[in-house]
Amino acid sequence: MSIRAHLQCTKGAFTLDAQFEVPLEGVTAVFGPSGCGKSTLLRCIAGLEQASPISELQIGKQTWFKQGQGVAVHERGVGYVSQAPSLFLHLSVQGNLDFALKRRPDQAVQISQQDAVELTGIAPLLERSPETLSGGEKQRVAIARALLGGPKLLLMDEPLAALDVDSKEAILPYLERLSRSVGIPIVYVSHSCDEVARLADYLLLMEGGKIRAQGPLGEVLAKTDSPLARSADAFSVLRCAFQALDPVANLAEFVIEGSEVKLYIPAIDAEGKRFVRVRVSARDVSVCLEQPVGSSILNILPVRLKQIGHPDMKGQVLLSLLPQGSSDVLLARVSAFSCEKLGLQEGMSLYAQVKSVALL
């Protein structure tokens, strides 16, 4: 089953015209710059924004909107978590959870309070007032409350945007656990590369109110002609398995999934993890015709040049590389001058270099 939509909505000078289809499972990230229509799209799915009469929205076998007629907000079975937790300040954390349980429809997805509390790690907070909680703690309570409402679909609108770096790092593991543990599909709006790399299974790239690319995360990131590829934030995600830890060098050794190619990652970021997704910024990758000798760079990967993108206005090109034996694509941004000087051609065998400290 899938989420199929063609959503149109006009707000002042801005027009949303988004057409997409993604599986009704896992985490679908909606990614793009501020003002591109991510939140408007999410609010249209929830029924909080009035879509135009020609819009259509199909969730699995249910039609939520068609020909100007839509299912009421309270009947859609949506859990909505925004930047502001919007907890009831006159109730304790436990009181906020009880409120959701009392309002949960009988036919709703039945997630127990114990499971919601364990998934979000809020057991020590139950008797506290929301006013005494940190920003990250409030968001975890808001997520638990949304889960206890029994949603068919969980919508998250930049839930970490208002948090500082430390608070984001503290809450991300809970979101990772949530996406793996509950059978509720999640649509997650963000403009953070880190959040998308860690959480997303599928990706919708937005620009100017439209969906410019869509599909599984790895496939969309590999496109050299997408808005993300054209931006300074272009990145790729490598799926890696833990091999060994060197506590003296403070490095963890991983192997790229499906290959024997090794990656060395700072152990402080990888400690205790058997499998990780490694985000690699395209600007942190360089290429060589021959294997470098005597380099301080530890990650020297044998790759095949899959595709050379067109030069941009700054005289740069995006290279699509395949690590030996892997199906994951590694992107590298180099100058068009270097590309020509090296005589790069699609299909060539190369070596990619990535600093360990650049891996996230």
Side-chain angles (χ1 to χ4, degrees), residues 224-234 282-283 308-319 332-339:
T224 58
D225 58 351
S226 73
L228 179 57
R230 295 194 301 267
S231 75
D233 294 327
R283 60 176 175 263
I308 301 175
H310 296 292
D312 61 21
M313 296 295 291
K314 296 181 180 179
Q316 299 177 343
V317 296
L318 196 65
L319 307 179
R333 188 180 298 285
V334 303
S335 68
F337 176 81
S338 293
C339 188

Side-chain angles (χ1 to χ4, degrees), residues 144-323:
R145 187 178 65 177
L147 289 174
L148 289 177
K152 302 171 186 174
L153 180 63
L154 185 59
L155 305 178
M156 306 187 79
D157 189 1
E158 303 204 60
L160 309 187
L163 304 182
D164 57 37
V165 174
D166 289 341
S167 296
K168 288 181 182 180
E169 286 300 314
I171 198 173
L172 272 169
Y174 293 100
L175 293 180
E176 288 178 311
R177 189 190 312 167
L178 175 67
S179 66
R180 292 193 305 265
S181 302
V182 300
I184 301 172
I186 300 171
V187 181
Y188 189 97
V189 164
S190 179
H191 63 266
S192 164
C193 297
D194 285 343
E195 293 170 33
V196 170
R198 289 181 68 166
L199 302 175
D201 300 302
Y202 309 96
L203 185 58
L204 298 177
L205 283 184
M206 290 196 70
E207 184 182 55
K210 296 181 181 294
I211 304 295
R212 301 297 185 181
Q214 60 182 292
L217 177 67
E219 290 183 14
V220 176
L221 294 180
K223 296 179 182 293
T224 58
D225 58 351
S226 73
L228 179 57
R230 295 194 301 267
S231 75
D233 294 327
F235 68 95
S236 45
V237 173
L238 300 178
R239 296 165 296 171
C240 300
F242 176 78
Q243 294 292 296
L245 179 66
D246 185 339
V248 177
N250 198 39
L251 288 172
E253 179 185 305
F254 283 80
V255 173
I256 299 175
E257 187 174 287
S259 77
E260 296 182 357
V261 179
K262 294 182 179 180
L263 275 183
Y264 296 93
I265 303 172
I268 191 172
D269 296 324
E271 186 177 0
K273 298 184 179 180
R274 297 295 303 173
F275 298 94
V276 297
R277 293 180 178 187
V278 180
R279 180 170 71 85
V280 189
S281 294
R283 60 176 175 263
D284 291 328
V285 182
S286 62
V287 296
C288 308
L289 297 179
E290 299 178 355
Q291 185 170 6
V293 177
S295 172
S296 66
I297 296 178
L298 297 178
N299 295 309
I300 300 174
L301 319 178
V303 298
R304 178 173 62 83
L305 179 52
K306 179 181 179 182
Q307 186 179 12
I308 301 175
H310 296 292
D312 61 21
M313 296 295 291
K314 296 181 180 179
Q316 299 177 343
V317 296
L318 196 65
L319 307 179
S320 180
L321 310 169
L322 281 175

